[in-house]
């Protein structure tokens, strides 16, 4: 190759190298751009997935929010599908009695059976086989006799174990049946108490009913009751959920451009209306369940309260925000309750709802008296037990308290006798309703033989303050000290009735002539004509 050809070859090689370098450079650039596009697509996908996740989270919040609002605004509609009836017979128990298991001692072992050894043949007998046979028989007989003795011993032991297991089984059966009988006796007593309208049993039933009322799990269940068997009126004080049961946010939105989740708040009017709806439906369902579960009840008084920190004192209190009294005839049947406007239905009764329940604006109970402070017992005619010139000191304390209650009822007042235990020093409650005056008075009846002193007046004053009563009346079979009468006058809202006045009141209003067998009673200086106790 000449110099010229060599030159051209070098040029060709250089062009090829340049082309290869350019190709490689373009391939690198192409790979770089492809990687950038892939990275951009990946980042775009990540942003899309992130946005979708945030949107899904907001949608889940809104879905949960809507489900909660649906649950708390359909309490009544869903609740009427549930039967509040308490089947007390279901509380009875039929004991499951375990069978007697004797195990390995159930069956006796078979007794040994005698099997004689085979007799020897003629040839064997000729060579002394007969003697050997007799010896073998004797040996087998001894072994058989020993087996018989051992079998008898084992059978005796088995029978002893059978007797032991049978006795233990009988004791276990007796214990199981005793426990079942005790439980069933409780049920029987409860049924009898309900039939007799015993307040304790009626209130127990009411508590069990409301404990099962289908309310959301987060709702409180605190409650207390007072039952008046004379009117078949059940007073209920029931804790309602606080205003935080209503979510303050109406919905949530996601602003993708700002990657921001925003809450859309409810207006004050929406919060108030939703909360009124919840407490109205809760109240109606509780009243409905109580009247359905106890068909003897004539009416239910329901006071709904909330627990909160008092904004003025910072202490916990429990103001009432809804109060209603519903007679059985007033409550619509379930088929109608499903279609009522709960707030309108509730207001059709003797109902008072807080004007601003969301702010927990307290209200007063629509019931005349604070029934929750008293526990009433069924009244009986104590006066009918009085024969000719009976001695009041011979009456039982319960009879004496009912007699005192009858004196006030004979004067046109309403009266109730409290339970003897946990009555906070109150033996009876009386009331007189008139267009101009009226109020609640508590009565302490002292069937004493000795003088009544100032400490009893102080006790009455304390009970009046505790029960927020307008009047207090202290009645005794004995008499009062001068200091006692002065203390009552200073208080201004007390009436003292001693034994002599009590005898005259019974004759005047109950038309019974009685005596009080106290021998050291002082004479009154200026006996006045009986004017009757001050009835509020």
């Amino acid at each position: 190759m000449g110099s010229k050809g060599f030159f051209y070859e070098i040029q060709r090689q250089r062009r090829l190298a340049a082309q290869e370098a350019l190709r490689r450079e373009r391939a690198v650039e192409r790979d770089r751009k492809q990687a950038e596009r892939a990275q951009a697509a990946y980042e775009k996908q990540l942003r899309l997935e992130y946005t979708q996740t945030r949107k899904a989270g907001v949608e889940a919040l809104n879905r949960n929010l809507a489900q909660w609002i649906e649950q708390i605004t359909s309490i009544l509609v869903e609740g009427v599908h549930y039967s509040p009836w308490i089947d007390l017979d279901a509380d009875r128990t039929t004991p499951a009695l375990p069978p007697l298991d004797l195990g390995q001692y159930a069956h006796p072992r078979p007794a040994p059976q005698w099997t004689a050894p085979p007799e020897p043949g003629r040839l064997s007998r000729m060579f002394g086989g007969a003697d050997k046979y007799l010896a073998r028989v004797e040996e087998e007989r001894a072994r058989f006799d020993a087996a018989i003795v051992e079998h008898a011993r084992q059978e005796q032991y088995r029978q002893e174990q059978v007797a032991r297991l049978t006795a233990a089984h009988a004791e276990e059966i007796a214990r199981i049946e005793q426990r079942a009988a005790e439980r069933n006796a409780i049920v029987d007593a409860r049924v009898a108490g309900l039939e007799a309208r015993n307040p304790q049993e009626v209130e127990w039933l009411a508590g069990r009913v409301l404990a099962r009322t289908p309310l959301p799990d987060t709702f409180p269940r605190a409650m207390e009751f007072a039952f008046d068997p004379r009117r078949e009126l059940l007073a209920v004080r029931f804790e309602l959920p606080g205003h935080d049961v209503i979510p303050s946010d109406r919905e949530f939105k996601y602003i993708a451009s700002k990657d921001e989740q925003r809450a859309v708040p409810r207006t004050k009017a929406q919060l108030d209306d939703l909360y009124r709806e919840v407490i109205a439906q809760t109240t109606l369902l509780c009243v409905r369940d109580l009247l359905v579960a106890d068909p003897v009840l004539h009416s239910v008084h329901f006071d709904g309260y909330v627990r909160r920190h008092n904004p003025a004192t910072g202490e916990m209190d429990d103001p009432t925000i809804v109060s209603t009294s519903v007679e059985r005839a007033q409550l619509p049947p379930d088929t109608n309750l499903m279609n009522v406007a709960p707030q309108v239905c509730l207001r059709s009764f003797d109902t008072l709802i807080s004007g601003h329940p969301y702010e927990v604006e307290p209200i007063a109970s629509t019931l005349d008296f604070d029934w929750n402070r008293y526990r009433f017992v069924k009244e009986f005619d104590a006066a009918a037990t009085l024969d000719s010139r009976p001695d009041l000191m011979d009456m039982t304390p319960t009879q004496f308290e009912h007699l005192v209650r009858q004196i006030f009822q004979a004067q046109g007042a309403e009266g109730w006798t409290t339970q003897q235990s946990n009555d906070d020093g109150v033996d009876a409650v009386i009331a007189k309703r008139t267009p101009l005056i009226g109020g609640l008075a508590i009565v302490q009846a002292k069937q004493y033989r000795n003088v009544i002193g100032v400490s009893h007046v102080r006790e009455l004053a304390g009970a009046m303050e505790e029960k927020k009563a307008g009047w207090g009346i202290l009645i005794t079979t004995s008499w009062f000290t001068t200091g006692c009468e002065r203390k009552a006058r200073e208080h201004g809202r007390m009436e003292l009735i001693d034994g002599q006045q009590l005898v005259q009141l019974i004759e005047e209003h109950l038309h019974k002539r009685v005596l009080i067998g106290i021998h050291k009673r002082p004479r009154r200086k200026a006996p006045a004509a009986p004017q009757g106790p001050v009835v509020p």
Side-chain angles (χ1 to χ4, degrees), residues 206-448:
R208 186 166 175 183
V209 168
L210 291 192
R212 296 175 50 183
T213 295
L215 298 173
D217 294 338
T218 56
F219 278 31
R221 293 278 180 167
M223 64 194 81
E224 54 182 317
F225 306 93
F227 174 63
D228 176 13
R230 188 176 61 87
R231 290 186 170 188
E232 279 295 334
L233 167 64
L234 179 68
V236 185
R237 196 162 183 268
F238 189 85
E239 183 178 359
L240 296 170
H243 60 73
D244 55 353
V245 73
I246 307 299
S248 59
D249 298 319
R250 180 169 55 86
E251 65 174 332
F252 296 92
K253 293 183 178 181
Y254 176 65
I255 311 301
S257 60
K258 297 184 177 181
D259 187 23
E260 183 179 291
Q261 176 180 297
R262 292 181 182 175
V264 180
R266 299 183 194 276
T267 65
K268 182 179 181 301
Q270 290 172 334
L271 292 171
D272 271 344
D273 188 62
L274 271 175
Y275 191 52
R276 283 194 190 93
E277 186 69 11
V278 170
I279 63 177
Q281 292 197 26
T282 302
T283 299
L284 282 174
L285 183 59
C286 289
V287 171
R288 172 259 183 188
D289 283 3
L290 291 170
L291 289 173
V292 171
D294 189 346
V296 184
L297 281 179
H298 176 265
S299 57
V300 170
H301 174 79
F302 183 97
D303 281 341
Y305 69 93
V306 293
R307 294 282 294 165
R308 60 92 188 255
H309 286 283
N310 189 309
T313 64
E315 297 180 352
M316 290 296 295
D317 63 1
D318 47 6
T320 299
I321 60 172
V322 58
S323 182
T324 187
S325 293
V326 185
E327 295 182 0
R328 180 177 297 277
Q330 293 177 300
L331 186 70
D334 286 354
T335 52
N336 292 355
L337 271 179
M338 296 177 61
N339 300 312
V340 301
Q343 297 183 54
V344 177
C345 178
L346 190 60
R347 290 186 185 278
S348 68
F349 311 132
D350 181 15
T351 300
L352 182 61
I353 301 178
S354 171
H356 301 284
Y358 195 79
E359 283 78 24
V360 196
E361 181 178 287
I363 62 170
S365 174
T366 59
L367 198 63
D368 289 344
F369 314 130
D370 188 358
W371 291 67
N372 297 301
R373 294 178 180 269
Y374 304 98
R375 293 295 181 267
F376 302 101
V377 298
K378 295 195 74 170
E379 60 188 51
F380 66 90
D381 188 358
T385 65
L386 300 178
D387 53 17
S388 176
R389 297 291 290 173
D391 188 344
L392 296 186
M393 301 307 295
D394 293 336
M395 301 182 77
T396 66
T398 299
Q399 290 174 330
F400 182 69
E401 291 173 5
H402 280 276
L403 178 65
V404 168
R405 183 258 309 159
Q406 285 183 275
I407 295 173
F408 293 102
Q409 288 181 327
Q411 297 179 70
E414 298 175 65
W416 304 270
T417 304
T418 62
Q419 291 180 350
Q420 288 188 323
S421 60
N422 300 321
D423 60 7
D424 297 325
V426 179
D427 298 319
V429 179
I430 63 171
K432 183 69 175 293
R433 297 179 176 89
T434 65
L436 298 178
I437 61 172
L440 174 69
I442 60 175
V443 179
Q444 288 185 343
K446 305 295 184 182
Q447 191 183 19
Y448 286 5

Side-chain angles (χ1 to χ4, degrees), residues 407-527:
I407 295 173
F408 293 102
Q409 288 181 327
Q411 297 179 70
E414 298 175 65
W416 304 270
T417 304
T418 62
Q419 291 180 350
Q420 288 188 323
S421 60
N422 300 321
D423 60 7
D424 297 325
V426 179
D427 298 319
V429 179
I430 63 171
K432 183 69 175 293
R433 297 179 176 89
T434 65
L436 298 178
I437 61 172
L440 174 69
I442 60 175
V443 179
Q444 288 185 343
K446 305 295 184 182
Q447 191 183 19
Y448 286 5
R449 294 183 179 275
N450 297 318
V451 66
I452 298 293
V454 175
S455 61
H456 295 88
V457 175
R458 293 195 182 101
E459 178 186 343
L460 177 60
M464 292 172 61
E465 178 64 25
E466 172 70 19
K467 303 302 182 183
K468 309 300 182 186
W471 291 87
I473 302 173
L474 183 57
I475 299 180
T476 182
T477 51
S478 61
W479 65 97
F480 301 100
T481 65
T482 304
C484 188
E485 295 174 342
R486 182 172 58 253
K487 192 71 176 179
R489 286 195 300 271
E490 291 173 357
H491 188 278
R493 291 184 291 114
M494 285 187 186
E495 178 78 4
L496 303 184
I497 302 174
D498 65 14
Q500 294 184 36
Q501 291 174 299
L502 178 59
V503 169
Q504 297 176 54
L505 288 171
I506 293 173
E507 183 174 359
E508 178 181 355
H509 298 290
L510 300 181
H511 311 296
K512 298 285 185 177
R513 301 191 65 184
V514 298
L515 58 85
I516 299 176
I518 299 178
H519 302 295
K520 297 182 180 180
R521 178 189 304 277
R523 293 182 176 273
R524 290 176 61 91
K525 293 183 179 180

